Amino acid sequence: MPLRIPVIAAVYLPALLLAFSDGLLVPTLPLFASGLHASMGVVGLVLAAESLGTLAGDVPAGVLLGRFGDKPVMVAGLTLVVVAVLALVTAQTVVAVILLRLVSGFGLALWNLSRHAFLTQATRSGRRGQAISAFGGVSRAGTFLGPAVGGLVASLFGLRSAFVVYAAVALAALVVVAWFVPRGEAPSRPATVAPGAVTGFRAVRGFAGVLSTAGVAQLMAQMVRAGRKVLVPLFGSQVLGLDVGAVGVILSGSAFAEMLLVYPAGWLMDRRGRKFAIVPSFLVQAAALALVPATHGFSGLLGVALMMGLGNGLSAGTMMTLGSDLAPPEALGEFLGVWRLVGDAGSTGGPLLVGAVADVLDLGVAAVAVAVVGLAAAAVFAYRVPETLEAV
């Protein structure tokens, strides 16, 4: 079923803008935190703070979605993001930065869940992988452009200037959502289900088995994805001595490599099964992470970053597709809130793992630790998670 123009305008375009904004901070935020005299462990906490805020907001976002529908939740989430990121311009302490990233993360929880529910109801199961992987491709296009622009802007105008650009682009995304999302077309709860948090708890109890297998696998997968975003800029700047502009180019190259496999990922998910894309993806990423300590300059780090990008591109949209496949229609918002809670726990744990291991040992060992997590994720997906394409 082809996606309608309102869906594309209301969800895909803001996703592109938000991904671009997020990419702006990939090379700049770790260096900004380091400039505030933070240890490696605290830098990891700064980078994880947004994910912690998202973690705190996932389940409340599911309840709000069931009560108010997509548009109010989208608008509220993007508003929080704009305000919190703009306030970073004046932040002078690590504590202030962490608090603002927590608020931004809560806003992203509202946005992420409402767009996920929107896409779930706008697609059929047999085409869902392609539709959601295309969504992932749009996000990766933004991430491809963001790091290089962020590095350039920071080189010319200082690290704080990236926050101003982020806020401006996020505000544009907010305008698009407010203009193009019709309130009446927001995904709604079936009339037989009463709104409220009780339904969310029922969803958790009813799908405990799923969350103990697919959920745990997703947690580890998201740890790998988030961990590599921290490792590459920190290893490049602190171990290899690369400047912020060079790090931005490396990250943009990795994002470009991701985009090359977005369509094949969707095709594989819908024609062969979800796991045909997921398992090879995390095997490739684990191998690339294990090679990070062996790099000795710009070209070496670029090579392994490209390899990571190809691996992650093969998993474009896979975690969202799994969640959509498994979500019960009568508790869509609540289940997706819990599903995203599990995944966001992994996104939070990735930077924390990198920071903790780097503080005790070094960044090279931290890369190997994340690689081991990637291998474990691939194994659980391969041997413990059922193929959801056959089940929908």
Side-chain angles (χ1 to χ4, degrees), residues 19-316:
F20 172 79
S21 298
D22 185 61
L24 292 170
L25 300 192
V26 171
T28 56
L29 187 60
L31 303 184
F32 178 73
S34 297
L36 295 176
H37 308 293
S39 68
M40 292 295 268
V42 175
V43 170
L45 181 59
V46 169
L47 299 178
E50 184 180 75
S51 295
L52 287 169
T54 303
L55 204 64
D58 281 328
V59 173
V63 176
L64 290 172
L65 180 65
R67 290 183 176 179
F68 301 109
D70 288 342
K71 185 169 184 176
V73 177
M74 286 183 183
V75 170
L78 292 177
T79 300
L80 283 176
V81 171
V82 171
V83 172
V85 173
L86 191 58
L88 282 173
V89 177
T90 60
Q92 299 296 325
T93 66
V94 173
V95 173
V97 172
I98 291 172
L99 290 175
L100 289 171
R101 297 303 287 161
L102 288 169
V103 173
S104 181
F106 193 93
L108 283 176
L110 301 181
W111 158 250
N112 287 336
L113 186 64
S114 55
R115 73 181 188 182
H116 192 173
F118 201 106
L119 285 171
T120 297
Q121 293 197 353
T123 56
R124 287 187 285 189
S125 60
R127 296 290 301 277
R128 182 171 288 151
Q130 294 177 70
I132 295 183
S133 67
F135 177 85
V138 168
S139 298
R140 283 162 173 78
T143 306
F144 160 62
L145 297 171
V149 174
L152 177 62
V153 168
S155 297
L156 295 176
F157 304 107
L159 292 171
R160 293 177 189 268
S161 61
F163 304 140
V164 177
V165 178
Y166 188 126
V169 176
L171 180 60
L174 173 58
V175 171
V176 171
V177 167
W179 182 263
F180 284 105
V181 177
R183 177 95 181 237
E185 294 191 10
S188 59
R189 176 194 307 277
T192 57
V193 181
V198 174
T199 305
F201 291 122
R202 286 175 183 164
V204 174
R205 290 198 300 269
F207 287 84
V210 170
L211 293 173
S212 68
T213 53
V216 170
Q218 186 205 185
L219 184 146
M220 292 188 291
Q222 301 292 18
M223 284 186 71
V224 174
R225 287 173 162 178
R228 71 185 185 89
K229 290 182 180 180
V230 179
L231 275 165
V232 172
L234 287 179
F235 194 88
S237 63
Q238 303 209 2
V239 178
L240 302 182
L242 304 177
D243 63 27
V244 65
V247 171
V249 170
I250 288 172
L251 294 171
S252 284
S254 181
F256 177 77
E258 287 188 38
M259 291 190 294
L260 296 177
L261 291 184
V262 165
Y263 178 80
W267 186 90
L268 275 174
M269 281 194 284
D270 286 342
R271 302 296 177 86
R272 301 297 303 275
R274 315 312 193 197
K275 295 201 289 185
F276 277 82
I278 295 172
V279 174
S281 163
F282 290 98
L283 289 175
V284 171
Q285 290 184 77
L289 284 160
L291 291 173
V292 167
T295 62
H296 299 291
F298 175 86
S299 59
L301 188 59
L302 176 61
V304 296
L306 291 173
M307 187 175 172
M308 290 180 203
L310 290 172
N312 198 42
L314 191 58
S315 68

